[in-house]
Amino acid sequence: QVQLVESGGGLVQAGGSLRLSCAASTRTAASTRTFISASMGWFRQAPGKEREFVAAIHWDGRNTDYADSVKGRFTASRDNAKNTVYLQMNSLKLEDTAVYFCAAHYGEMIRVAPDYDAWGQGTQVTVSS
């Protein structure tokens, strides 16, 4: 099992950028291997709205999947040596305002939130005009 902690959220003006990090607090070699082999997802949830898929990245970091709403603006990456995944967010829009969560899926890249196996607590991103 992995424990995920997001960071990097904050307040930014529309058109600006933020980089979110998701650190895996792995305590054993087995959990480290689990993280390294896991596909990771980024989701977001705005007040009054359902949790929304943002991006996913394969275990090797070479394949990614993005929601149409963020494609071309957001980039997911990972550094398995640091047990960390990232979401670089550029050209931020007001509608990007949400709590952003990272999640681990012990399998292929997916978009369905309930199928993910572990979740972080989220980090707030607020985009202002």
Side-chain angles (χ1 to χ4, degrees), residues 16-78:
S17 298
L18 284 174
R19 189 193 195 202
L20 306 183
S21 298
C22 175
S25 299
T26 54
R27 295 183 177 182
T28 66
S31 61
T32 297
R33 290 193 294 271
T34 297
F35 168 77
I36 292 172
S37 64
S39 296
M40 300 294 297
W42 287 97
F43 293 79
R44 64 189 182 187
Q45 188 166 22
K49 297 183 179 180
E50 294 184 345
R51 192 163 296 188
E52 175 188 20
F53 170 78
V54 175
I57 184 167
H58 193 253
W59 67 268
D60 64 2
R62 290 176 169 81
N63 291 320
T64 52
D65 182 31
Y66 298 97
D68 289 343
S69 60
V70 306
K71 192 173 297 182
R73 299 188 297 119
F74 291 9
T75 302
S77 61
R78 68 192 298 166

Side-chain angles (χ1 to χ4, degrees), residues 1-20:
Q1 141 174 324
V2 299
Q3 299 140 41
L4 306 174
V5 179
E6 302 94 339
S7 62
L11 177 64
V12 64
Q13 284 191 317
S17 298
L18 284 174
R19 189 193 195 202
L20 306 183

Side-chain angles (χ1 to χ4, degrees), residues 43 110-117 119:
F43 293 79
I110 57 173
R111 294 188 170 200
V112 182
D115 289 346
Y116 276 77
D117 301 294
W119 290 84

Side-chain angles (χ1 to χ4, degrees), residues 15 20 26 49 55 86 90 101-102:
L20 306 183
T26 54
K49 297 183 179 180
Y86 305 95
N90 298 327
F101 300 87
C102 67

